[in-house]
Amino acid sequence: MEGLVTQIQGLSGTASDVLSLQNLLKQADDSLHAESTRLPPFLDQLDPSKHSLGYLYFLEACTAGPVTQEQASSFVLTIARFISSCVAEQIRLAPDKFISVCKRFKDQVLLLEEPLRGVAPMLTAIRKLQLSSEHLTALHPEFLLLCLLSKCYKTALSILDEDIFEVDQPRDLFLYCYYGGMISIGQKQFRKALELLHNVVTAPMSTVNAIAVEAFKKYILVSLIHHGQFPTNLPKYASSGAQRNLKTLCQPYVELASSYSNGKIADLETYVEANKDKFESDNNLGLVKQAVSSMYKRNIQRLTQTYLTLSLQDIANRVQLNSPKEAEMHVLQMIKDGEIYATINQKDGMVRFLEDPEQYKTCEMIERIGSSIQRLMTVSKKLNVMDELMSCDPLYLAKAGRERQRFDFDDFDNVPPRYNI
Amino acid sequence: MDGEEDASNLMMEANSTGGVDEAPLSSTTTRRNRPIISGEPLDIEAYAGLYTGRTKINRLIFIASHCDNPAMELEALRMASDEIKKGENTQLYREVVQKIEGRLGPNYEMDTAWCSMIELKAEQRKEKLESELNSYRTNLIKESIRMGYNDFGDFYYAHGALGDAFKSYVRTRDYCTTSKHIIQMCLSAILVSIEMVQFSNVSSYVSKAEQTPEALDPPTTAKLCCAAGLAHLEAKKYKLAARKFLEVGLELGNSYSEVIVPQDVATYGGLCALASFDRTELKATILSLLSPAPPLFSIHNKVIDNINFRDFLELVPEVRELINDFYSSHYASCLEYLGNLKPNLILDIHLYDHVETLYDQIRNKALIQYTLPFVSVDMRMMADAFKTSVAGLEKELEALITDNQIQARIDSHNKILYARHADQRNATFQRVLQTGNEFDRDVRAMLLRANLLKHDCNLKASRKV
């Protein structure tokens, strides 16, 4: 053991040294695991900021076995300190070990029932493990889970704002999008939630998994809240398994959506009452209630298209509210949220609907449009690059060559009929 | 029989309340030019007198089953039963007698003797026809085979076996040698199809007949136009139906009275045109005919002799007035005429299930036309013009605005309708930003999915290796 420690201390200088160190450590891994109980004192001899790789191996072996309550809090401290001080390049040499250490860290934090302690370290861990900001690691969903449990949504949003293009494991993506959707719902950013949930539901999957089913349920509800409608069919690029099975697995929600589209609030409310238990068991009752109240909003918005002024009594009648006072409250809330533009005249009990005052003439608007264009050009370029890469891929060319007779001659003139690697 | 006729005359005098002269039953010539489809309750005698053959019976039965007035119902059934007895359709006779339920006295009970006699004759005739047909077939003379099948068709038609009649007529097709034969076959097939209410067949046979122009004389062309118009009407294609009816020439006269008469052509054509044509088309095809000056420009070259339609409209002056009122924006009187005509139109066998739709379309067009020239409209005045309440008008306008047929907004406080022209510039900006966002979102999702698929492929490839 001591020999190993000295070697670590010696070989953590340059990059080539570190590589040879890694080989040594790999060979010694089993012996480390065998003596896991003896390892903690050795950890003090190593410095996490200089000897990150060695420290990592030792740490991983230490935490491999079952952990008691007292040990848990000390481990949490050690790991947190390690994460904040380790060197990114060294730990990237052994990503699996790092990921398993962080996962155990999360488990222990949850064991102690203090998820908040885990949020900041996990965020640092992600930053250090990521190869680029577009890379999704296995730690992302763990991080989001901690944020959800500790209710610090804002921190999560900073991670969610980044676009993801590279994925290691599909399962990570599903969990990431699902938790991300839930966080966005919590922050009332329904557009982002819809996007994330849409990604889960339409991701390529050979068999439908439970995450997709839960995500689909929330997807229906958020779609009703945000758009006021739910497209009955998944887009064509969703996997065939999803298209066939998701709807049957989420039957009560699909019926809720069709009841919503009929436009009668009373029917919708009776349906919700009847199926309350199912919604509650899925923890979706809050969302369902939001969906129901969004229907009132949708109806009032439709009125703005046909009327210039309307009495509160008429609004209450048309939208099936109980009294003009309720109508006034709804309209007031909508004006505050910026969903409609109107003025309420309390003396006459009239509401006057106004046009959207945005004239699209300000500097901010021009900047917004400009930055939009820039962003779209970047995304387009990315798409082109990917297309080029794909066209050179040997697998693709082999398949195109084989299937040439199915397609138009012009498309594949350059591909020889039998392309062998 | 004479006493019966007097009795029926008396009954007619007691029942008819229309403004029609009490002329004797036989002279139908003077009746032809009297307005039959008018605002007054339908005079069944006069109405039925226009038609011949099976459509007369069908229309009478239809009126009997759809009208509210029991006296009218009995009158119709009585006339139907008289007419049936002149023919050979025992099935229909039984149905009508059942409907009468003995309310018309002993003369209208089931005459089983007559029935069995007819059926016996029918059996004999059928055997005779069959043996004749077989002999013709062995002789392989095309013309006789064709006539044999034709006779069969007529026989089945007279006895109410419409499906068999249709099949027989269609069989003659293989033996037609001249285009006249083809025309004859097509017309017979059309007649039977209309009766069977299978209008898809009607359309196909009309087009078949139109493909042999050499043998088409004006009355036949007119008949084909009518049949095509009816087919379109049934298919709810009101614009096409209107155009077809407008093409019908005066030569139609009464030659097609076993299907349709000129009054019907005028009514169907006028109402469909009003419901579906826009103002320029309406003016060019119908209204220009009402003034002595020739049309300045005719949009459709198909409408060759549209002077004729004026004469058709003369037969139904209420429809003529109603179209005029619509064009000159006297909506109240237009809608009044429509309301008056409705009870009689519901009794028409071809029009009854289209009356509601046509009326709604006409009313909506009137509302839209009223609001078109104004920037703001006082809803109280508009409600007066359309003879409804302000609340009802508000509901109708709301439906039209939501449907995007009127570009306006309602000021419910002051009851004024303001025209609203969408700001194109703002709408464009909004759409642009939205499209950009959607593009961004979709491309990113695509790249993500592509990445996942690539991952899958790599896994599979590495597993193979």
Side-chain angles (χ1 to χ4, degrees):
Chain A
M1 276 301 114
E2 292 75 10
L4 201 52
V5 172
T6 32
Q7 275 182 322
I8 291 175
Q9 285 167 332
L11 288 175
S12 295
T14 64
S16 49
D17 284 345
V18 173
L19 281 172
S20 45
L21 177 61
Q22 189 184 20
N23 289 334
L24 279 170
L25 285 170
K26 277 196 206 150
Q27 286 160 356
D29 200 29
D30 295 328
S31 57
L32 277 176
H33 273 270
E35 307 201 21
S36 56
T37 40
R38 282 185 35 196
L39 292 179
F42 288 108
L43 282 177
D44 301 323
Q45 294 177 8
L46 292 173
D47 178 6
S49 53
K50 283 195 258 179
H51 314 128
S52 305
L53 191 58
Y55 198 96
L56 177 61
Y57 269 81
F58 269 75
L59 195 56
E60 199 265 327
C62 279
T63 52
V67 171
T68 62
Q69 196 87 356
E70 317 82 48
Q71 278 182 319
S73 52
S74 68
F75 271 140
V76 164
L77 276 173
T78 337
I79 300 180
R81 230 176 279 136
F82 168 63
I83 293 179
S84 55
S85 50
C86 68
V87 173
E89 293 81 16
Q90 289 199 16
I91 55 165
R92 282 191 199 147
L93 292 171
D96 307 327
K97 296 239 176 246
F98 187 66
I99 287 174
S100 56
V101 165
C102 291
K103 282 200 180 157
R104 283 183 213 138
F105 171 64
K106 175 206 95 183
D107 292 333
Q108 286 163 10
V109 160
L110 288 178
L111 193 62
L112 293 172
E113 292 183 9
E114 294 173 8
L116 197 51
R117 280 174 71 176
V119 171
M122 199 60 97
L123 185 55
T124 340
I126 290 180
R127 291 270 175 251
K128 292 199 175 159
L129 188 57
Q130 262 185 335
L131 295 168
S132 72
S133 72
E134 297 169 359
H135 183 215
L136 184 80
T137 62
L139 295 178
H140 278 82
E142 312 292 337
F143 169 67
L144 288 182
L145 181 61
L146 285 176
C147 287
L148 261 178
L149 288 171
S150 60
K151 299 207 194 320
C152 45
Y153 299 135
K154 293 248 171 56
T155 350
L157 283 179
S158 62
I159 285 279
L160 282 174
D161 273 338
E162 294 167 0
D163 300 329
I164 299 289
F165 290 120
E166 280 176 55
V167 175
D168 282 337
Q169 276 283 347
R171 189 166 167 278
D172 294 334
L173 178 70
F174 294 151
L175 278 175
Y176 170 77
C177 286
Y178 180 62
Y179 291 142
M182 285 170 72
I183 292 179
S184 308
I185 293 174
Q187 289 293 95
K188 300 240 186 286
Q189 291 193 4
F190 291 115
R191 203 171 57 83
K192 184 129 192 97
L194 210 54
E195 199 181 314
L196 287 164
L197 291 170
H198 185 81
N199 279 341
V200 183
V201 169
T202 55
M205 47 182 143
S206 44
T207 52
V208 175
N209 55 43
I211 306 175
V213 173
E214 294 303 314
F216 189 65
K217 292 178 185 165
K218 293 201 162 57
Y219 179 65
I220 296 181
L221 291 172
V222 174
S223 169
L224 286 179
I225 296 176
H226 189 63
H227 284 309
Q229 60 185 3
F230 174 65
T232 39
N233 288 322
L234 287 174
K236 277 196 293 194
Y237 46 77
S239 71
S240 54
Q243 279 178 4
R244 277 198 305 265
N245 299 327
L246 275 179
K247 278 205 266 195
T248 41
L249 289 167
C250 306
Q251 195 55 26
Y253 294 85
V254 175
E255 280 174 22
L256 182 73
S258 50
S259 165
Y260 187 100
S261 61
N262 284 337
K264 299 207 180 50
I265 294 192
D267 293 344
L268 190 65
E269 284 183 346
T270 34
Y271 184 79
V272 168
E273 268 308 306
N275 291 316
K276 211 155 105 151
D277 309 322
K278 284 189 223 149
F279 295 142
E280 216 160 333
S281 63
D282 288 332
N283 289 330
N284 281 333
L285 192 59
L287 258 186
V288 171
K289 294 216 169 100
Q290 280 190 37
V292 173
S293 66
S294 80
M295 192 170 199
Y296 290 115
K297 285 194 204 162
R298 198 73 47 200
N299 288 344
I300 296 181
Q301 267 176 339
R302 221 177 301 154
L303 287 175
T304 63
Q305 290 303 312
T306 16
Y307 286 92
L308 264 184
T309 61
L310 198 56
S311 69
L312 285 168
Q313 181 64 43
D314 274 332
I315 295 182
N317 290 342
R318 280 168 212 276
V319 180
Q320 292 149 30
L321 286 168
N322 289 330
S323 71
K325 261 275 160 256
E326 265 190 49
E328 190 176 338
M329 274 181 4
H330 273 267
V331 173
L332 199 57
Q333 187 63 39
M334 285 174 78
I335 298 177
K336 265 198 249 167
D337 289 336
E339 289 164 3
I340 59 171
Y341 303 98
T343 49
I344 305 181
N345 182 338
Q346 282 191 326
K347 183 167 76 104
D348 297 331
M350 280 282 164
V351 178
R352 187 178 190 84
F353 297 119
L354 308 164
E355 296 277 343
D356 180 0
E358 177 63 64
Q359 285 296 314
Y360 299 97
K361 285 181 189 162
T362 58
C363 290
E364 290 89 23
M365 186 49 75
I366 296 182
E367 269 184 43
R368 194 170 141 201
I369 297 182
S371 65
S372 238
I373 297 179
Q374 293 289 30
R375 200 178 65 232
L376 289 177
M377 290 200 320
T378 337
V379 167
S380 260
K381 243 179 257 176
K382 226 188 186 56
L383 193 59
N384 278 336
V385 162
M386 187 171 227
D387 188 37
E388 282 172 16
L389 268 178
M390 202 74 80
S391 334
C392 307
D393 187 286
L395 282 175
Y396 168 72
L397 288 172
K399 182 145 193 199
R402 274 202 302 275
E403 308 226 353
R404 151 170 229 211
Q405 55 272 17
R406 263 177 42 191
F407 301 115
D408 201 1
F409 264 131
D410 296 330
D411 288 346
F412 294 102
D413 256 350
N414 304 326
V415 180
R418 286 195 198 299
Y419 187 91
N420 287 317
I421 304 169
Chain B
M1 281 310 270
D2 262 273
E4 212 176 66
E5 214 167 312
D6 284 339
S8 62
N9 253 333
L10 282 172
M11 261 223 249
M12 181 188 76
E13 273 173 60
N15 286 335
S16 71
T17 46
V20 183
D21 284 7
E22 259 44 287
L25 275 166
S26 51
S27 73
T28 47
T29 38
T30 43
R31 269 185 216 291
R32 221 174 285 149
N33 294 330
R34 297 256 188 271
I36 301 298
I37 304 197
S38 67
E40 294 107 0
L42 193 60
D43 178 356
I44 304 190
E45 288 280 351
Y47 181 72
L50 293 171
Y51 300 95
T52 61
R54 288 287 285 283
T55 190
K56 180 168 175 175
I57 303 171
N58 283 339
R59 281 171 191 258
L60 285 169
I61 296 180
F62 187 82
I63 292 177
S65 50
H66 278 84
C67 75
D68 303 318
N69 186 348
M72 218 169 154
E73 184 189 343
L74 283 177
E75 176 73 12
L77 285 172
R78 187 187 61 84
M79 295 189 61
S81 132
D82 284 341
E83 196 63 32
I84 294 176
K85 271 209 159 161
K86 294 184 201 153
E88 293 172 352
N89 192 344
T90 50
Q91 177 63 25
L92 209 51
Y93 178 70
R94 285 201 183 88
E95 279 178 27
V96 172
V97 169
Q98 236 180 351
K99 287 207 180 119
I100 293 182
E101 291 166 357
R103 289 178 283 173
L104 283 173
N107 285 330
Y108 290 95
E109 306 243 318
M110 178 71 76
D111 191 349
T112 36
W114 179 83
C115 280
S116 16
M117 176 192 65
I118 293 285
E119 278 162 13
L120 194 60
K121 277 208 293 188
E123 275 301 314
Q124 293 170 339
R125 177 139 175 83
K126 184 166 174 188
E127 282 170 23
K128 179 158 163 276
L129 283 176
E130 270 187 40
S131 57
E132 278 181 9
L133 188 62
N134 284 331
S135 68
Y136 292 149
R137 275 219 281 250
T138 38
N139 288 341
L140 286 179
I141 308 173
K142 263 197 172 177
E143 181 59 24
S144 348
I145 300 179
R146 187 187 74 84
M147 295 204 30
Y149 272 121
N150 240 343
D151 290 338
F152 243 118
D154 293 336
F155 167 77
Y156 280 131
Y157 182 65
H159 284 267
L162 293 174
D164 295 325
F166 187 71
K167 280 194 216 128
S168 307
Y169 285 132
V170 170
R171 281 234 188 85
T172 64
R173 180 166 158 202
D174 300 327
Y175 306 100
C176 290
T177 40
T178 70
S179 32
K180 254 198 160 15
H181 295 161
I182 300 180
I183 301 286
Q184 186 187 15
M185 175 214 57
C186 289
L187 282 178
S188 321
I190 291 174
L191 189 62
V192 179
S193 307
I194 292 182
E195 186 123 0
M196 288 199 291
V197 199
Q198 280 177 9
F199 282 95
S200 48
N201 285 339
V202 173
S203 317
S204 52
Y205 281 99
V206 165
S207 38
K208 214 183 295 250
E210 278 171 356
Q211 280 162 7
T212 50
E214 333 60 81
L216 286 179
D217 47 349
T220 326
T221 340
K223 286 186 198 177
L224 291 173
C225 282
C226 288
L230 279 178
H232 285 306
L233 179 65
E234 200 62 33
K236 296 195 199 284
K237 300 206 175 93
Y238 300 123
K239 201 163 192 166
L240 295 171
R243 288 203 190 134
K244 277 285 167 190
F245 284 125
L246 288 171
E247 281 178 21
V248 173
L250 255 188
E251 309 79 17
L252 178 69
N254 279 318
S255 55
Y256 215 22
S257 56
E258 60 262 18
V259 174
I260 197 174
V261 292
Q263 280 93 337
D264 287 341
V265 172
T267 322
Y268 297 166
L271 284 180
C272 289
L274 196 55
S276 56
F277 282 2
D278 61 13
R279 253 176 107 77
T280 30
E281 211 173 340
L282 198 63
K283 183 167 163 58
T285 52
I286 298 192
L287 291 172
S288 53
L289 327 165
L290 299 178
S291 60
L296 289 175
F297 58 93
S298 66
I299 296 187
H300 302 287
N301 297 326
K302 289 187 290 186
V303 186
I304 309 166
D305 281 0
N306 48 16
I307 313 280
N308 294 327
F309 208 72
R310 169 173 51 179
D311 294 329
F312 278 121
L313 278 178
E314 288 300 316
L315 299 169
V316 280
E318 297 215 353
V319 176
R320 183 194 67 207
E321 285 310 307
L322 125 78
I323 297 182
N324 245 339
D325 280 339
F326 185 89
Y327 191 75
S328 51
S329 307
H330 296 128
Y331 300 110
S333 70
C334 170
L335 292 173
E336 199 181 321
Y337 276 122
L338 273 181
N340 286 341
L341 282 180
K342 192 164 174 180
N344 289 341
L345 289 179
I346 296 189
L347 295 176
D348 181 291
I349 200 172
H350 290 291
L351 202 56
Y352 74 102
D353 51 355
H354 302 283
V355 170
E356 287 297 339
T357 332
L358 285 173
Y359 271 44
D360 282 338
Q361 281 186 1
I362 296 177
R363 192 185 169 83
N364 284 345
K365 280 184 76 181
L367 285 170
I368 297 173
Q369 203 173 272
Y370 187 97
T371 58
L372 214 46
F374 299 108
V375 166
S376 64
V377 175
D378 184 351
M379 280 166 61
R380 290 180 205 100
M381 284 181 50
M382 189 169 170
D384 274 338
F386 281 90
K387 298 266 187 324
T388 65
S389 63
V390 178
L393 181 68
E394 197 171 319
K395 275 208 173 32
E396 284 185 73
L397 285 176
E398 185 182 340
L400 284 173
I401 293 176
T402 322
D403 228 6
N404 225 8
Q405 303 217 31
I406 301 185
Q407 315 292 332
R409 303 270 279 287
I410 302 178
D411 180 346
S412 183
H413 186 47
N414 303 322
K415 301 290 179 218
I416 301 184
L417 182 75
Y418 287 100
R420 169 202 195 210
H421 301 288
D423 190 338
Q424 291 284 28
R425 185 174 169 279
N426 283 354
T428 314
F429 269 104
Q430 240 178 347
R431 258 202 319 272
V432 160
L433 283 172
Q434 195 185 351
T435 316
N437 282 338
E438 281 170 17
F439 179 79
D440 184 36
R441 190 192 63 203
D442 288 340
V443 171
R444 276 188 290 125
M446 257 200 286
L447 287 171
L448 189 58
R449 273 197 303 278
N451 200 291
L452 281 174
L453 285 171
K454 192 163 77 162
H455 185 266
D456 264 347
C457 287
N458 289 342
L459 265 183
K460 286 192 198 132
S462 62
R463 264 189 228 135
K464 271 192 215 152
V465 169

